[in-house]
Each structure stands twice: as structure tokens, then as C-alpha cells.
Amino acid sequence: MKQFYSLSQYPGKTGETYYRKFFNLKNLPYTYNALKCENIVDSVTKLKNSNSSGFSVSMPYKSLVIPLLDEVDELVTQFNSCNTVVNIDGKYIGYNADYYGAINVLKTVPDHHPINILGNGAMGNMFKKILGSRANMYSRSLGNWDQIQYLTGTVINCTSLGTSTEDSPFVKLPKLSCVIDLAMADNDLKKQTISSDIKYIGGKEFYRHQFKKQFEIYTGITLSQSELEDDN
């Protein structure tokens, strides 16, 4: 039986839910379990020693995991980010399945819209490299976070939390047309966006396509669009 895992500082049930569904759908006797990761070197070493079939990687480990792998694909090198690792004949090879989630959510953004990226971690930098000069990036570490209250067009939230909180200048939404929020859980940003009649695209849309590509990497099987969108 093949055994897959996820490594995260804050493990949740989303991946387990999707993979349980996909494995059952394709009658695959595989397992997928979320593991808490406090030290990426120790966690990867344990999974290698147990001959695990593969694992996913969450922030803040998407760049840190790269030197621990035997090989990586060109998207990992291009974006310096790896979220998917598979064991192929004893070699642990890294892939960037996040890219496919990004490409799919960006299809919803009109060509003429200004695009603003919140957060300059691995995910934010990936969106920035894809979009180039079309997008601007904002974060506290860049010193321009207070400017987000003046933004227009589309915002892509690549921070770990919703940003409409008491300590954020985003309490009053700017004149936005669309918010793409990579957070899966409900948060203040989602509530405020919807109540302000602004188009909201949640993390579910991003991660469904990311999981689709990741599933293909793990199993060699491509899920159909209907299988991907069936949430029953």
C-alpha cells in the first residue's frame, strides 16, 4: 500500500478529505495523513527512512525542502518553491503543483484589472513572477502594507490569515472588483468582501486545481473536471 503525507506547521483535514475522496473514487488502496512539522530536515529524514510514497509541503518549508531532495522539476527551480514530493524508485523528486492552482484562479481576472498581491512569501513571489510588471506586491516587511487601503482592481491574498482585522488597515475595503483569497477557512476578509458585494474567490478554487495536479504526480491519473468539482 502506498502511503502519502503532508508536512505542515498547522496540519489540517483539507488534504486528507480530498485525497480520501480521490483514492476512493479511483479504487486506490492508498492513504494520506497530515503530519505536524516543526523541523523540515527531521520530518523529511523520517519519511525517507520509512520509504514513504510521497508528501506535500506547506509554508514555511516550500523553499527549505528543496536541498533535501534528489531532483526537482523546472517549476521548482523557476519559483524556488516545492509543495509536492514523490518517491520514484527510491529518489525523492520535487514538483511545484501550486503553479497550476495559480494559473487557474488567474483565469478569472479580467485582462485590464490592476492586480495587487498581499504577502511576499513563496506563494506571493510565485504569483509575482507569473504576472511580472502587471502586479504589485505588498507586505509589512516591504514597508508598504499601509498602502493596501487605497488599492483598486483585484487583490490576491497570499497571507496566512484574512486581513480585515483590528490591527490591519484593510478594515475598510478599498475600491476593489475582486478578491482572490488563498485562505481555506472562513475569515473576516471573506465576510467583509461578500458583504461589500465584491466578487470573492476562496482558497478552495485554488487548492482544487493544485490537488488535481498533485494527484496526477502521485498516481499518474488525471482527474476529470467533473470529478474535481464534485464536492459530494
Side-chain angles (χ1 to χ4, degrees):
M1 175 186 291
K2 291 190 175 184
Q3 297 176 321
F4 297 93
Y5 300 89
S6 68
L7 298 177
S8 174
Q9 274 189 320
Y10 309 104
K13 296 295 183 182
T14 302
E16 291 182 351
T17 300
Y18 270 94
Y19 275 102
R20 189 178 299 115
K21 167 191 164 182
F22 293 154
F23 290 156
N24 288 339
L25 187 65
K26 297 300 183 181
N27 296 314
L28 298 173
Y30 301 166
T31 62
Y32 185 98
N33 294 291
L35 302 177
K36 183 173 179 59
C37 176
E38 296 179 342
N39 183 300
I40 189 63
V41 176
D42 291 346
S43 294
V44 170
T45 299
K46 289 178 182 178
L47 291 181
K48 284 184 174 182
N49 288 341
S50 66
N51 198 35
S52 69
S53 302
F55 52 92
S56 65
V57 183
S58 298
M59 289 298 295
Y61 305 119
K62 293 184 179 184
S63 298
L64 296 174
V65 74
I66 295 173
L68 308 177
L69 305 177
D70 298 302
E71 296 177 17
V72 297
D73 80 339
E74 61 182 18
L75 289 176
V76 171
T77 301
Q78 181 179 352
F79 297 106
N80 192 36
S81 181
C82 170
N83 81 306
T84 305
V85 179
V86 64
N87 181 350
I88 300 178
D89 298 328
K91 287 187 176 182
Y92 284 83
I93 302 175
Y95 297 85
N96 184 338
D98 286 333
Y99 173 82
Y100 299 89
I103 291 300
N104 275 279
V105 295
L106 288 174
K107 291 177 181 177
T108 66
V109 181
D111 291 339
H112 64 280
H113 269 207
I115 300 179
N116 309 282
I117 301 166
L118 306 187
N120 63 334
M123 195 74 78
N125 278 298
M126 181 183 70
F127 274 97
K128 176 60 176 170
K129 285 186 178 181
I130 292 172
L131 293 164
S133 60
R134 186 182 173 196
N136 293 311
M137 182 179 287
Y138 300 85
S139 76
R140 289 181 173 85
S141 63
L142 292 175
N144 60 359
W145 187 251
D146 59 338
Q147 297 177 28
I148 66 175
Q149 60 186 309
Y150 306 113
L151 301 180
T152 61
T154 293
V155 155
I156 303 174
N157 178 33
C158 298
T159 65
S160 59
L161 300 173
T163 58
S164 294
T165 57
E166 292 182 359
D167 63 347
S168 167
F170 214 35
V171 172
K172 292 185 178 180
L173 283 174
K175 297 179 181 179
L176 297 176
S177 301
C178 177
V179 170
I180 298 173
D181 186 7
L182 300 192
M184 287 289 288
D186 286 347
N187 55 53
D188 290 336
L189 177 59
K190 177 179 179 179
K191 294 174 185 176
Q192 191 179 5
T193 302
I194 293 174
S195 66
S196 300
D197 200 27
I198 296 170
K199 182 178 180 180
Y200 180 85
I201 299 170
K204 183 177 181 180
E205 188 62 26
F206 173 90
Y207 284 104
R208 280 197 305 193
H209 290 281
Q210 184 234 58
F211 283 136
K212 177 184 179 182
K213 186 61 181 182
Q214 195 172 65
F215 184 82
E216 182 181 330
I217 292 168
Y218 286 153
T219 67
I221 298 171
T222 301
L223 296 164
S224 69
Q225 192 67 20
S226 61
E227 290 171 333
L228 181 67
E229 295 177 352
D230 181 9
D231 291 322
N232 296 324

